[in-house]
Amino acid sequence: MELLHSGKVRDVYADGDDLILVASDRISIYDVVLPTPVPDKGRLLTALSLWWFEQLADLVPNHVVSATDVPAEFAGRAIRCRRLEMVPVECVARGYLTGGGLAEYERTGAVSGVRLPRGLVEASILPEPIFTPSTKAPKGEHDEPISYEQVVDKVGAETAARLRQITLDIYCRGAELAADRGILVADTKIELGWAADGTLVLGDEVLTSDSSRFWPAESYQPGRAQFSYDKQYVRDWATGGGWDKRPPAPEVPAEVIEATRARYVEVYEKLTGRTWS
Ligand code: ATP
Ligand code: MG
């Protein structure tokens, strides 16, 4: 198979008309990949994404062809998908204000052109979920927020409206389901693409902790940084040890890796209601 792309965490291969999306056990914090992998992370995120694709199937068709018809060496952490022509927009929905959205709000009072009320702080809940698209930046560059009008210019009014609707529908469904299980979905990013028959299809991964911010509902408190469900432990360890967030990142001790793995298992089990084995 031809390796088309190798991201920080995933590798993408072409196999005939299909793609094989392979999730590794690599973990990145502050956009830097750690030298120490987290065992089972690739399988956990793949299983979570597959579970969400099923939960969302009535909202939007997805690119999954098979979770089992993949090369044996990738078993459990790869998905065979339809190769789509990806829409050149990162479709982000936010229910809470944090990260790049908060920074933009503090500068301009808006996020991706959506005006927000005054006085919002780190982790504030928004009056309603908003669509805050961004560009798909080439490797190594950062995605830039764009306004809805810019999306219209790129893809046309009809497609833009569908991107916004699907993104908000997925966010709302995901957030509602997660909230029942004690997890807040602060924001999430999806990617859509065109199938050969002209339908708009959900691609990439969906509602995983690599594409979304998950917060434990029980400790939610606006006005301060929230606990990151999966990466907080390793982030605190790395920065507490004096790491300046620039590559290379330090080797991570086994107990920190094990605690991090346990968080991924916990998120998977809480959301899906299944037991990880
Ligand atoms: P990083 O995650 O390291 O910041 P990245 O987003 O480029 O970088 P990945 O997420 O690993 O890396 O790459 C997945 C790539 O595959 C993305 O470019 C995504 O748009 C693309 N992709 C996902 N699903 C499909 C599909 N069904 N058809 C075509 N391309 C797809
Ligand atoms: Mg990606």
Side-chain angles (χ1 to χ4, degrees):
M1 293 189 313
E2 183 196 353
L3 177 64
L4 293 182
H5 172 91
S6 184
K8 284 190 292 293
V9 172
R10 289 180 303 159
D11 300 316
V12 183
Y13 295 86
D15 187 18
D17 288 342
D18 296 340
L19 289 186
I20 310 285
L21 276 182
V22 183
S24 72
D25 291 343
R26 299 189 289 270
I27 180 170
S28 68
I29 53 170
Y30 307 109
D31 276 339
V32 178
V33 177
L34 299 180
T36 327
V38 175
D40 292 337
K41 176 174 179 274
R43 290 201 302 135
L44 281 155
L45 292 198
T46 299
L48 184 57
S49 204
L50 284 167
W51 182 82
W52 277 118
F53 277 125
E54 263 173 45
Q55 308 307 307
L56 303 168
D58 60 312
L59 292 178
V60 58
N62 63 61
H63 68 167
V64 177
V65 173
S66 170
T68 50
D69 182 12
V70 297
E73 62 184 299
F74 304 141
R77 57 191 183 87
I79 302 179
R80 175 180 295 273
C81 346
R82 279 191 274 176
R83 188 170 190 166
L84 308 172
E85 190 192 319
M86 298 311 283
V87 177
V89 174
E90 304 258 59
C91 294
V92 179
R94 298 173 192 271
Y96 297 78
L97 194 60
T98 187
L102 176 66
E104 203 191 331
Y105 167 78
E106 286 174 342
R107 240 178 13 251
T108 68
V111 184
S112 294
V114 182
R115 289 254 126 234
L116 292 172
R118 284 167 189 276
L120 299 179
V121 294
E122 168 73 63
S124 283
I125 189 166
L126 299 174
E128 60 183 352
I130 57 173
F131 178 57
T132 61
S134 62
T135 59
K136 266 169 82 80
K139 204 175 173 173
E141 290 170 39
H142 285 290
D143 298 336
E144 294 291 335
I146 49 177
S147 67
Y148 185 71
E149 288 65 38
Q150 287 171 291
V151 178
V152 171
D153 289 344
K154 264 182 199 288
V155 301
E158 196 191 318
T159 300
R162 292 183 63 196
L163 297 181
R164 178 165 64 185
Q165 190 62 50
I166 293 169
T167 305
L168 291 172
D169 285 350
I170 288 176
Y171 174 81
C172 290
R173 171 79 62 85
E176 192 180 286
L177 209 147
D180 285 345
R181 292 150 196 212
I183 294 176
L184 302 179
V185 182
D187 49 39
T188 196
K189 183 215 68 174
I190 61 164
E191 294 187 35
L192 294 144
W194 298 104
D197 65 1
T199 47
L200 194 55
V201 173
L202 179 61
D204 210 54
E205 62 186 325
V206 63
L207 288 160
T208 65
S209 35
D210 278 356
S211 63
S212 321
R213 287 189 177 89
F214 293 144
W215 295 336
E218 60 175 17
S219 60
Y220 170 70
Q221 195 191 328
R224 61 157 168 81
Q226 305 303 297
F227 185 87
S228 150
Y229 225 113
D230 47 339
K231 295 183 179 175
Q232 197 67 37
Y233 203 75
V234 68
R235 277 186 193 158
D236 289 351
W237 172 83
T239 54
W243 179 55
D244 61 3
K245 304 183 185 174
R246 279 192 293 236
E251 287 286 342
V252 187
E255 64 273 17
V256 176
I257 291 294
E258 185 40 49
T260 302
R261 179 186 173 280
R263 305 318 298 252
Y264 281 99
V265 172
E266 190 184 333
V267 171
Y268 171 82
E269 292 190 335
K270 277 206 159 128
L271 287 173
T272 66
R274 294 176 180 163
T275 304
W276 179 251
S277 57

Coordinates of all heavy atoms in Angstrom, one line a residue, residues 110-156:
A110 N -15.5 38.0 18.9 CA -16.2 37.1 18.0 C -15.3 35.9 17.8 O -14.1 35.9 18.0 CB -16.5 37.7 16.7
V111 N -15.9 34.8 17.4 CA -15.1 33.6 17.0 C -15.5 33.2 15.5 O -16.7 33.0 15.3 CB -15.3 32.4 17.9 CG1 -14.4 31.2 17.5 CG2 -15.1 32.8 19.3
S112 N -14.6 33.1 14.6 CA -14.9 32.9 13.2 C -16.0 33.7 12.7 O -16.9 33.2 12.0 CB -15.2 31.4 13.0 OG -14.1 30.6 13.2
G113 N -16.0 35.0 13.1 CA -17.1 35.9 12.7 C -18.4 35.8 13.4 O -19.3 36.6 13.2
V114 N -18.5 34.9 14.4 CA -19.7 34.8 15.2 C -19.6 35.7 16.4 O -18.7 35.5 17.3 CB -20.0 33.4 15.7 CG1 -21.3 33.3 16.5 CG2 -20.1 32.4 14.5
R115 N -20.4 36.8 16.5 CA -20.3 37.7 17.6 C -20.8 37.0 18.9 O -21.8 36.3 18.8 CB -21.3 38.9 17.4 CG -20.9 39.9 16.4 CD -20.5 41.2 17.1 NE -19.2 41.5 16.5 CZ -18.0 41.7 17.1 NH1 -18.0 41.7 18.5 NH2 -16.9 41.9 16.5
L116 N -20.2 37.2 20.0 CA -20.6 36.6 21.2 C -20.8 37.7 22.3 O -20.3 38.8 22.2 CB -19.5 35.6 21.7 CG -19.3 34.4 20.8 CD1 -18.1 33.6 21.3 CD2 -20.6 33.5 20.8
P117 N -21.7 37.4 23.3 CA -21.9 38.4 24.3 C -20.6 38.8 25.1 O -19.6 38.0 25.1 CB -22.9 37.7 25.3 CG -23.1 36.3 24.8 CD -22.4 36.1 23.5
R118 N -20.6 39.9 25.7 CA -19.5 40.4 26.5 C -19.4 39.5 27.7 O -20.4 39.0 28.2 CB -19.7 41.8 26.9 CG -19.4 42.8 25.9 CD -20.0 44.2 26.4 NE -20.0 45.1 25.3 CZ -18.9 45.9 25.0 NH1 -17.8 45.7 25.7 NH2 -18.9 46.7 24.0
G119 N -18.2 39.6 28.3 CA -18.0 39.0 29.7 C -17.8 37.5 29.8 O -17.7 37.0 30.8
L120 N -17.6 36.9 28.6 CA -17.4 35.4 28.7 C -15.9 35.2 29.1 O -15.0 36.0 28.8 CB -17.6 34.8 27.3 CG -19.0 34.9 26.8 CD1 -19.1 34.2 25.4 CD2 -20.0 34.3 27.7
V121 N -15.7 34.1 29.8 CA -14.4 33.8 30.3 C -13.9 32.4 29.9 O -14.7 31.7 29.2 CB -14.3 33.9 31.9 CG1 -14.6 35.3 32.3 CG2 -15.4 32.9 32.5
E122 N -12.7 32.0 30.2 CA -12.3 30.6 29.9 C -13.3 29.6 30.3 O -13.8 29.6 31.5 CB -11.0 30.4 30.7 CG -10.5 28.9 30.8 CD -9.9 28.5 29.5 OE1 -8.9 29.0 29.1 OE2 -10.4 27.5 28.9
A123 N -13.7 28.7 29.4 CA -14.6 27.6 29.6 C -16.1 28.0 29.8 O -16.9 27.2 30.2 CB -14.2 26.8 30.8
S124 N -16.4 29.3 29.5 CA -17.9 29.7 29.6 C -18.7 28.9 28.6 O -18.2 28.6 27.5 CB -18.0 31.2 29.2 OG -17.6 32.1 30.2
I125 N -19.9 28.5 29.1 CA -20.8 27.9 28.1 C -21.4 29.0 27.2 O -21.6 30.1 27.6 CB -21.9 27.1 28.9 CG1 -22.7 26.3 27.9 CG2 -22.8 28.1 29.7 CD1 -23.6 25.2 28.6
L126 N -21.5 28.7 25.9 CA -22.0 29.6 25.0 C -23.6 29.6 25.0 O -24.2 28.6 25.3 CB -21.5 29.3 23.6 CG -20.0 29.3 23.5 CD1 -19.5 28.9 22.1 CD2 -19.5 30.8 23.7
P127 N -24.2 30.8 24.6 CA -25.6 30.8 24.6 C -26.2 29.7 23.8 O -27.3 29.1 24.1 CB -25.9 32.2 24.0 CG -24.7 33.0 24.1 CD -23.5 32.0 24.2
E128 N -25.6 29.3 22.7 CA -26.0 28.2 21.9 C -24.7 27.7 21.2 O -23.8 28.5 21.0 CB -27.1 28.5 20.9 CG -26.7 29.5 19.9 CD -27.8 29.9 19.0 OE1 -28.9 29.2 19.0 OE2 -27.7 30.9 18.2
P129 N -24.7 26.4 20.7 CA -23.5 25.9 20.0 C -23.3 26.7 18.7 O -24.3 27.1 18.1 CB -23.8 24.5 19.7 CG -24.8 24.1 20.7 CD -25.6 25.3 21.0
I130 N -22.0 27.0 18.4 CA -21.8 27.8 17.2 C -20.8 27.1 16.3 O -20.0 26.2 16.7 CB -21.1 29.2 17.6 CG1 -19.9 29.0 18.4 CG2 -22.2 30.1 18.3 CD1 -19.1 30.3 18.6
F131 N -20.9 27.4 15.0 CA -20.1 26.8 13.9 C -18.9 27.8 13.7 O -19.1 28.9 13.4 CB -21.0 26.7 12.7 CG -20.2 26.2 11.4 CD1 -19.6 24.9 11.5 CD2 -20.2 26.9 10.3 CE1 -18.9 24.4 10.3 CE2 -19.6 26.4 9.1 CZ -18.9 25.2 9.2
T132 N -17.7 27.3 14.0 CA -16.5 28.2 13.8 C -15.5 27.5 12.9 O -14.5 26.9 13.4 CB -15.9 28.4 15.2 OG1 -15.5 27.2 15.8 CG2 -16.9 29.1 16.1
P133 N -15.7 27.6 11.6 CA -14.9 26.9 10.7 C -13.4 27.4 10.7 O -13.2 28.5 11.1 CB -15.6 27.1 9.3 CG -16.4 28.4 9.5 CD -16.8 28.4 11.0
S134 N -12.5 26.6 10.2 CA -11.2 27.1 9.9 C -10.6 26.5 8.7 O -11.2 25.5 8.1 CB -10.3 26.8 11.2 OG -10.2 25.4 11.3
T135 N -9.5 27.0 8.2 CA -8.9 26.5 7.0 C -8.2 25.2 7.4 O -8.0 24.9 8.5 CB -7.8 27.4 6.5 OG1 -6.8 27.6 7.6 CG2 -8.3 28.8 6.2
K136 N -8.0 24.3 6.4 CA -7.2 23.1 6.5 C -5.8 23.5 6.2 O -5.4 23.6 5.0 CB -7.7 22.0 5.6 CG -8.7 21.1 6.2 CD -9.4 20.2 5.2 CE -8.5 19.0 4.8 NZ -8.6 17.9 5.8
A137 N -4.9 23.8 7.2 CA -3.6 24.3 6.9 C -2.7 23.1 6.4 O -2.9 22.0 6.9 CB -3.0 24.9 8.1
P138 N -1.8 23.3 5.5 CA -0.8 22.3 5.2 C 0.0 21.9 6.4 O 0.1 22.6 7.4 CB 0.1 23.0 4.2 CG -0.5 24.3 3.8 CD -1.5 24.6 4.9
K139 N 0.6 20.7 6.3 CA 1.3 20.1 7.5 C 2.3 21.1 8.1 O 3.0 21.8 7.4 CB 2.1 18.9 7.0 CG 2.4 17.9 8.0 CD 3.1 16.7 7.4 CE 3.6 15.8 8.6 NZ 4.1 14.5 8.1
G140 N 2.3 21.2 9.4 CA 3.3 22.1 10.1 C 2.7 23.5 10.3 O 3.3 24.2 11.1
E141 N 1.7 23.9 9.5 CA 1.1 25.2 9.8 C -0.2 25.1 10.6 O -0.8 24.0 10.7 CB 0.8 25.9 8.4 CG 2.0 26.2 7.6 CD 1.7 26.7 6.2 OE1 0.7 27.4 6.0 OE2 2.5 26.3 5.3
H142 N -0.6 26.2 11.2 CA -1.8 26.2 12.0 C -3.0 26.6 11.2 O -3.0 27.4 10.4 CB -1.6 27.1 13.2 CG -0.7 26.5 14.3 ND1 -1.0 25.5 15.0 CD2 0.6 26.9 14.6 CE1 0.0 25.2 15.8 NE2 1.0 26.0 15.6
D143 N -4.1 25.9 11.6 CA -5.4 26.2 10.9 C -5.8 27.6 11.3 O -5.7 28.0 12.5 CB -6.5 25.2 11.4 CG -6.2 23.8 11.0 OD1 -5.4 23.6 10.0 OD2 -6.7 22.9 11.6
E144 N -6.3 28.4 10.3 CA -6.8 29.8 10.6 C -8.3 29.8 10.7 O -8.9 29.3 9.8 CB -6.3 30.7 9.5 CG -4.8 30.9 9.3 CD -4.2 31.7 10.5 OE1 -4.9 32.4 11.1 OE2 -3.0 31.5 10.8
P145 N -8.8 30.5 11.7 CA -10.3 30.6 11.7 C -10.8 31.4 10.5 O -10.1 32.4 10.1 CB -10.6 31.4 13.0 CG -9.3 31.9 13.5 CD -8.2 31.1 12.8
I146 N -11.9 31.0 9.9 CA -12.5 31.8 8.8 C -14.0 32.0 9.1 O -14.6 31.2 9.9 CB -12.3 31.1 7.4 CG1 -12.8 29.6 7.5 CG2 -10.9 31.2 6.9 CD1 -12.7 28.9 6.2
S147 N -14.5 33.0 8.5 CA -15.9 33.3 8.8 C -16.8 32.5 7.9 O -16.4 31.9 6.9 CB -16.2 34.8 8.4 OG -16.1 35.0 7.0
Y148 N -18.1 32.4 8.2 CA -19.0 31.7 7.4 C -19.1 32.2 6.0 O -19.1 31.4 5.0 CB -20.4 31.8 8.1 CG -21.5 30.9 7.4 CD1 -21.4 29.6 7.5 CD2 -22.4 31.5 6.6 CE1 -22.3 28.8 6.8 CE2 -23.4 30.7 5.9 CZ -23.3 29.4 6.0 OH -24.2 28.6 5.3
E149 N -19.0 33.5 5.8 CA -18.9 34.1 4.5 C -17.7 33.6 3.7 O -17.9 33.3 2.5 CB -18.9 35.6 4.5 CG -20.2 36.3 5.0 CD -20.5 36.0 6.5 OE1 -19.6 35.9 7.3 OE2 -21.7 35.8 6.7
Q150 N -16.6 33.4 4.3 CA -15.4 32.8 3.6 C -15.7 31.4 3.2 O -15.2 31.0 2.2 CB -14.2 33.0 4.5 CG -13.7 34.4 4.6 CD -12.6 34.6 5.6 OE1 -12.8 34.5 6.8 NE2 -11.4 34.8 5.2
V151 N -16.4 30.7 4.1 CA -16.8 29.3 3.7 C -17.7 29.3 2.4 O -17.5 28.6 1.5 CB -17.5 28.5 4.8 CG1 -17.9 27.1 4.4 CG2 -16.6 28.5 6.0
V152 N -18.6 30.2 2.4 CA -19.5 30.4 1.3 C -18.7 30.7 0.0 O -18.9 30.1 -1.0 CB -20.6 31.5 1.5 CG1 -21.3 31.8 0.2 CG2 -21.5 31.1 2.6
D153 N -17.7 31.6 0.1 CA -16.8 31.9 -1.0 C -16.1 30.7 -1.5 O -15.9 30.5 -2.7 CB -15.8 33.0 -0.7 CG -16.5 34.3 -0.5 OD1 -17.6 34.5 -0.9 OD2 -15.9 35.2 0.1
K154 N -15.6 29.8 -0.6 CA -14.8 28.6 -1.0 C -15.7 27.6 -1.6 O -15.2 26.9 -2.5 CB -14.2 28.0 0.3 CG -12.8 28.4 0.6 CD -12.4 27.7 1.9 CE -11.2 28.3 2.6 NZ -9.9 28.1 1.9
V155 N -16.8 27.3 -1.0 CA -17.6 26.0 -1.4 C -19.0 26.3 -1.9 O -19.7 25.4 -2.3 CB -17.6 25.0 -0.2 CG1 -16.2 24.7 0.2 CG2 -18.5 25.6 0.9
G156 N -19.4 27.6 -1.9 CA -20.8 27.9 -2.4 C -21.8 27.9 -1.2 O -21.5 27.2 -0.2

